[in-house]
Amino acid sequence: MFPRFVSNIVSWRSVAVLGLLAAILQVVNMFLSWQLRLRDQESAFATSSASIVASRVIDPSYAGRSSASLRAASGSGTAYLRNRDFHLGPKISDDHSAVLTRIAHWSVLDSSGEFRVAMGVMRGLGGAQGDGPYDKADMMEGEVESYSSSELTLVTQCSFGHLHKLPRLTNNWQGPISIAVFAMSGEVQAVVQTFHLLRRCHSGIYNNVTFSLVFPLNSPTSPHITPTADTTPCDQIFEQQIQTNYEFGGIHYPNNLLRNIARKATNTELILVLDIDMIPSHGLHTYFMKYASDNNIFKEHLSEEKTAWVLPAFEIQNGNEFPKTKKDLLSLKEKELVRPFYSELCFKCQKYTDYPSWEKKQNIDMEKVSPLYEVLWQDPWEPFYIARNGIPLYDERFRQYGFNRISQVCELHIAGFRFLVLDSGFVLHEGFKTANGFHKAKDMQQEANRMLFRQFKQDLKEKYKDSSRRCY
């Protein structure tokens, strides 16, 4: 038998423990009830938004389908994302709400499972292309398809902080453009609003540009950015968003993923893949389309032709007017205001273009392009080129800086492609590329990608067993 005072202590402690457990259960119950109300509110928002745009946004063939069937339709390695998976924010306009709903309903995970991908969320008036869930149904009222597959699309990519360079690109390229934009999770609202403002302010963007969006699945350090107002003047759209490099607080910029998404968002036969800060020479789209027509490039029996038409790449000192012709370009080069691209950082990366031979040839007809000579690929040449959209995709394991473009060109070489340098066309980078213009982790990331490139070359040997070509 325990003494009486010991029994009293045990009894008192039992009551205290039971009281504490009851308090904890009450708190847990309140939290779960709050979560349930929040989920119901988000579901109501999704239903409301969907009803606004159902007649012109959501493809009827997807209506009523289960989550499992939607996941299957997305393809292997992707996952259907529900509306409550990320914050869409308040509605700014019906069109803005429609695009946000589109992203919520149709965005998928990339093959790595680290990024959400929303392909073709907004398409140019004349450039509704592709065959995914956004085809036709995702167009705004009044938009129609006019671009055929017998076209040449400029494919590009950038972060939200570099999107201000798009208007200049559209001024020099009169054909379709497909751009994939990278944003942090907290920037999605602002990015979509910027798409709308760009379309309002620039007819070339409204008519020709297809927008896709990629953002991280998890970016806890991303602050929420308030969208720019609908009434914002055109010259003030980018006052707060301009960025000088591609550093994102530990998230490696997925440039090759973006290039692939932008490519998949167009169904034109030919593509030219450029970064957002590269500008094609004046009239290049028109001149190459004439060359393609004259040489039956779009004929079905030539669709398997393995040719890449190379555009010599240069960089121009800041503050100088972009040259319109090859003659103007060479005049600036004599004054040392223009130089071959990457002259300071990696001269060998472009030297196999054979600039001396290209500069010697002066085409009498400046409004015409044609092949001038052929170049056999050598490591580490990474030219910019026009090719068919069926060429190998970019390896999405390469991110941020180093070997992301050369790996794809290396595969073209092993796959049997030939490289023909065009006589009059060129691409130009604004500003001289210098070592101090990169983010702090550039060297570390380049070394990591160098190791990956070695593995990539081994993978190509297995992929192209019958090829006698190698990447060295």
Side-chain angles (χ1 to χ4, degrees), residues 278 313-315 339-343 350 355 384 429 433:
M278 300 294 292
F314 296 85
E315 51 191 38
R339 65 186 186 184
F341 186 60
Y342 258 40
S343 290
Q350 297 295 327
Y355 290 94
F384 297 92
H429 179 273
K433 281 279 192 179

Side-chain angles (χ1 to χ4, degrees), residues 48 76 78 97 112 137 160 213 215 217 227 336 366 369:
S48 175
S76 60
T78 60
S97 176
S112 73
F160 182 30
L213 184 64
F215 51 103
L217 181 63
E336 298 184 347
M366 291 296 180
V369 296

Side-chain angles (χ1 to χ4, degrees), residues 271-390:
I271 56 171
L272 166 60
V273 181
L274 294 178
D275 293 339
I276 193 68
D277 51 8
M278 300 294 292
I279 304 297
S281 55
H282 180 76
L284 177 61
H285 174 266
T286 301
Y287 305 151
F288 192 87
M289 285 294 292
K290 186 177 187 307
Y291 164 77
S293 176
D294 292 344
N295 291 273
N296 298 316
I297 299 299
F298 296 112
K299 292 292 185 181
E300 186 174 348
H301 70 280
L302 296 176
S303 61
E304 299 300 320
E305 181 189 17
K306 294 184 175 182
T307 301
W309 292 273
V310 174
L311 296 160
F314 296 85
E315 51 191 38
I316 185 171
Q317 193 175 66
N318 283 322
N320 290 282
E321 185 177 351
F322 274 44
K324 289 188 175 182
T325 65
K326 179 177 180 178
K327 182 179 179 180
D328 296 336
L329 176 82
L330 296 179
S331 176
L332 291 174
K333 187 173 182 293
E334 288 181 2
K335 300 174 184 177
E336 298 184 347
L337 300 176
V338 165
R339 65 186 186 184
F341 186 60
Y342 258 40
S343 290
E344 182 177 324
L345 297 176
C346 181
F347 177 71
K348 291 195 298 183
C349 291
Q350 297 295 327
K351 81 166 189 175
Y352 298 112
T353 301
D354 191 1
Y355 290 94
S357 295
W358 186 81
E359 293 171 13
K360 288 178 183 177
K361 175 66 174 179
Q362 290 288 340
N363 193 345
I364 298 176
D365 186 358
M366 291 296 180
E367 296 186 355
K368 181 180 179 181
V369 296
S370 59
L372 186 56
Y373 52 86
E374 183 173 352
V375 174
L376 181 65
W377 185 88
Q378 299 181 62
D379 187 22
W381 191 37
E382 47 181 19
F384 297 92
Y385 58 86
I386 295 170
R388 300 188 185 280
N389 204 1

Side-chain angles (χ1 to χ4, degrees), residues 10-28:
V10 171
S11 177
W12 175 82
R13 286 182 175 175
S14 298
V15 172
V17 169
L18 290 174
L20 179 60
L21 288 175
I24 292 174
L25 289 174
Q26 186 174 6
V27 171
V28 170

Side-chain angles (χ1 to χ4, degrees), residues 152-167:
L152 167 61
T153 295
L154 192 155
V155 173
T156 189
Q157 48 81 28
C158 70
S159 68
F160 182 30
H162 290 80
L163 192 55
H164 63 280
K165 298 179 180 180
L166 180 61

Side-chain angles (χ1 to χ4, degrees), residues 174 177 283 408 441:
Q174 284 69 52
I177 296 175
Q408 196 257 2

Side-chain angles (χ1 to χ4, degrees), residues 397 411 414 454-467 469-470:
R397 293 175 296 177
E411 181 168 358
I414 291 183
R454 292 175 183 172
Q455 178 60 49
F456 174 80
K457 290 189 285 187
Q458 293 298 318
D459 296 341
L460 291 183
K461 289 181 181 180
E462 185 66 23
K463 184 176 181 180
Y464 299 94
K465 293 180 179 179
D466 297 331
S467 177
R469 295 182 174 186
R470 293 291 180 265

